[in-house]
Structures are given as structure tokens and as C-alpha cells.
Amino acid sequence: MILIFTPLFLRFYALEPQTKQLVIWLVLIHNVFNAVAFPFSGALSNGLRAAGDVKFTMYVSVLSTIAGRLFLSYLLGIVLDMGVIGIAIAMVCDWVIRAVIFVWRQKSGKWKEFEVV
């Protein structure tokens, strides 16, 4: 719904056509991967934390933010001159990295060894 209404909302702003196109691409990238990857990188990590697996999820989150989001933002956004689209792709890569690791952790069953106080 958001993607459908984005062009309508953009009419209320005095934006250049290139900027409007960029906004639509950003909304598309965010919405697709928010539906596909974020449930595993966000909600699953919250579930693991609730089960007592706090340190692992914290380490993964910090390392994926530094290695994934920050490094890839610099690489894609500045070095490869992709701008804000590169930064959005770096954010998505961070979500995917976390999703893969948290699904692996959940399937391993190691999170069951912790006790919730």
C-alpha cells in the first residue's frame, strides 16, 4: 500500500523528477526487504533475546552493523558512487546477514541452553 500511494504523496512536495524517482526506488527497496529479511533479522533476534540468548544476538548485531552496514555504506555509497541507493542496499545486506545468522542460531538449538531469569 505504501508503494502504491508514494507517487500520490510525492505530489504534495516540490521535488525534481529525479528525486521523486529516487524516493520510489528507496521505498521499493525498503518495503521488499522489510517483508523478506527483516522478520528474521529483527523479530527472530528479539525472540532469541527473550529466550536468554542475549550476548550472541548483541555481538551479531554490533558486528553486522559495523562490517555490513557501515563498511558497505562506504563502499557502495561513496567508493562505487551509488549514493543513497548504495546506503539502502547496505542496510538490506545488514538485515540479510543478521537473518542468515539468526536462522542458523535458531536451527542449531544452542539458544535453548540459556535460562531466562
Side-chain angles (χ1 to χ4, degrees):
M1 293 295 293
I2 291 172
L3 184 60
I4 292 170
F5 287 114
T6 297
L8 175 68
F9 294 145
L10 289 176
R11 291 182 184 179
F12 295 108
Y13 299 95
L15 301 173
E16 296 293 324
Q18 284 181 308
T19 305
K20 289 180 181 181
Q21 185 179 13
L22 186 61
V23 169
I24 290 171
W25 274 108
L26 290 171
V27 169
L28 178 66
I29 291 168
H30 181 270
N31 286 353
V32 167
F33 286 95
N34 194 34
V36 173
F38 192 73
F40 300 103
S41 66
L44 183 56
S45 69
N46 290 340
L48 292 171
R49 271 194 288 277
D53 200 0
V54 176
K55 285 184 181 180
F56 180 81
T57 55
M58 181 188 65
Y59 291 142
V60 168
S61 297
V62 169
L63 291 174
S64 73
T65 297
I66 293 169
R69 197 174 292 211
L70 291 177
F71 173 73
L72 287 174
S73 290
Y74 173 75
L75 179 68
L76 298 173
I78 296 172
V79 175
L80 297 178
D81 198 30
M82 293 176 69
V84 72
I85 295 292
I87 293 170
I89 292 170
M91 174 186 68
V92 165
C93 289
D94 177 31
W95 289 351
V96 170
I97 291 167
R98 289 183 198 196
V100 168
I101 294 171
F102 291 144
V103 166
W104 168 78
R105 181 70 165 193
Q106 191 270 334
K107 288 186 181 278
S108 75
K110 184 143 178 147
W111 58 275
K112 295 176 184 177
E113 299 173 7
F114 300 95
E115 291 184 28
V116 179
V117 179

